[in-house]
Amino acid sequence: MRVLGVDPGLTRCGIGVVEGVAGRPLTMLGVGVVRTPVDADLSHRLLAVEAGIEQWLDEHRPECVAVERVFSQHNVRTVMGTAQASAVAMLCAARRGLPVALHTPSEVKAAVTGSGRADKAQVGAMVTRLLRLSAPPKPADAADALALAVCHIWRAPAQNRLQQAAARLRAGAPTPPKGRTA
Amino acid sequence: MRVLGVDPGLTRCGIGVVEGVAGRPLTMLGVGVVRTPVDADLSHRLLAVEAGIEQWLDEHRPECVAVERVFSQHNVRTVMGTAQASAVAMLCAARRGLPVALHTPSEVKAAVTGSGRADKAQVGAMVTRLLRLSAPPKPADAADALALAVCHIWRAPAQNRLQQAAARLRAGAPTPPKGRTA
């Protein structure tokens, strides 16, 4: 599975592409940041984010896009820009028919470090180790995007089972016998 | 000037198209709502908002798009969807090279009713009167989108003067003599 992770932001939108399956060593295919000028018009910044993400999608052809789920507990101004950048990322993926998965920051931290409250340095260190890199990717947004992609690859099998069960429930079909594993 | 107003939302995104200039009677060219199913995937809802807005832009070819500026004081879950729908609207406009103007809800209310704290009914009543409609547009999101377009037509001359003055300041050029009016 090839996943493009997006740590959404207007000033710096982190992008990381990871390939692999759960339980096997993963491979980093690319990492970087889409930047937009802080003094530009908001609509032009969104356009620049779109162009940047489109370029990454064209180049790496992922099967799935994982985006950080945005909460509005944080700084009000920042969070609106983050929500808007995440909308652009989701839109670019949906337009290509790619599935979009959202993971919360604590799900991502818990997946790669074992703790939902790990700090940036810990996430960077684990991403470096898991993807066998020579140094932690900079800036932190780039490392976070890789962590998101890793998280998605590891969580996807469980998420798929949940989604299939929910779809069966909605369709009124019987659930599979207990104890069955995919 | 032909303005497409957008009252952003995922469940109901209000759209209103108004033509005219400040100081003259205005004309409504169209009003409606883009709806997306609440149980759909977020990325597919954003895609549906994009398709709906594109259709309005194709049909009415506005010169400018006015979008409600989103604040995060309100309900957390709602505001994220609103911010994301507004990002899609801004992106659609910017892609076509159309200028995007943002107005706050209180600017819009003050423009059409004289009070920044007017209620929905008052805004609906004034939109009906100003655009010489036979009844207030329903739902409120549609009326709000028209109010936004009216607000933009009325505020645009002042906003343009401010932007030109700011551009002159940035360029280090002298400001025009005092007392001059555009």
Side-chain angles (χ1 to χ4, degrees), chain A residues 21-81:
Chain A
V21 290
R24 295 274 194 86
L26 304 172
T27 308
M28 181 186 83
L29 298 181
V31 65
V33 166
V34 174
R35 295 174 194 270
T36 78
V38 284
D39 57 348
D41 194 77
L42 177 53
S43 61
H44 292 129
R45 299 185 79 182
L46 294 170
L47 200 59
V49 170
E50 182 185 50
I53 291 173
E54 286 290 342
Q55 214 176 320
W56 277 91
L57 290 171
D58 280 343
E59 196 173 328
H60 291 280
R61 307 264 159 209
E63 290 142 71
C64 172
V65 174
V67 182
E68 190 176 290
R69 190 185 289 278
V70 186
F71 287 106
S72 108
Q73 294 120 326
H74 317 292
N75 180 300
V76 169
R77 275 191 77 87
T78 315
V79 89
M80 301 307 280

Side-chain angles (χ1 to χ4, degrees), chain A residues 50 70 80 83-84 86 95, chain B residues 50 70 72 80 83-84 86 95:
Chain A
E50 182 185 50
V70 186
M80 301 307 280
Q84 293 172 325
S86 79
R95 240 189 257 133
Chain B
E50 182 186 49
V70 185
S72 108
M80 302 307 281
Q84 293 174 325
S86 81
R95 242 190 256 133

Side-chain angles (χ1 to χ4, degrees), chain B residues 62-87:
Chain B
E63 291 143 71
C64 173
V65 174
V67 182
E68 190 177 291
R69 191 185 287 278
V70 185
F71 286 107
S72 108
Q73 293 118 328
H74 317 291
N75 180 301
V76 167
R77 274 192 78 88
T78 315
V79 89
M80 302 307 281
T82 310
Q84 293 174 325
S86 81

Side-chain angles (χ1 to χ4, degrees), chain B residues 1-5 15-21 24-31 60 62-64 127 130-132 142-143 145-154:
Chain B
M1 174 156 63
R2 182 177 295 187
V3 178
L4 185 131
I15 311 271
V17 188
V18 178
E19 190 162 58
V21 291
R24 295 273 193 87
L26 304 173
T27 308
M28 182 186 82
L29 299 181
V31 65
H60 291 280
E63 291 143 71
C64 173
V127 162
L130 294 165
L131 297 173
R132 292 153 291 135
L146 287 174
L148 201 65
V150 170
C151 167
H152 183 68
I153 290 173
W154 288 352

Side-chain angles (χ1 to χ4, degrees), chain B residues 30-55:
Chain B
V31 65
V33 166
V34 173
R35 295 175 193 269
T36 77
V38 285
D39 57 348
D41 193 77
L42 177 54
S43 62
H44 292 128
R45 299 185 78 180
L46 295 169
L47 200 60
V49 170
E50 182 186 49
I53 291 173
E54 286 290 342
Q55 212 175 321

Side-chain angles (χ1 to χ4, degrees), chain A residues 88-174:
Chain A
V88 174
M90 286 187 264
L91 195 63
C92 292
R95 240 189 257 133
R96 293 174 184 236
L98 298 176
V100 175
L102 300 173
H103 300 284
T104 66
S106 50
E107 282 167 354
V108 175
K109 288 173 188 173
V112 302
T113 75
S115 163
R117 289 180 292 175
D119 63 14
K120 294 261 173 213
Q122 228 181 315
V123 171
M126 281 309 293
V127 162
T128 311
R129 187 174 309 170
L130 293 166
L131 298 172
R132 289 152 293 134
L133 310 176
S134 52
K138 292 269 166 63
D141 314 77
D144 285 348
L146 287 174
L148 202 63
V150 169
C151 167
H152 182 68
I153 291 172
W154 287 351
R155 285 172 60 99
Q159 278 199 333
N160 286 345
R161 281 198 300 273
L162 277 172
Q163 278 164 8
Q164 283 162 9
R168 274 194 301 268
L169 265 178
R170 276 198 299 272

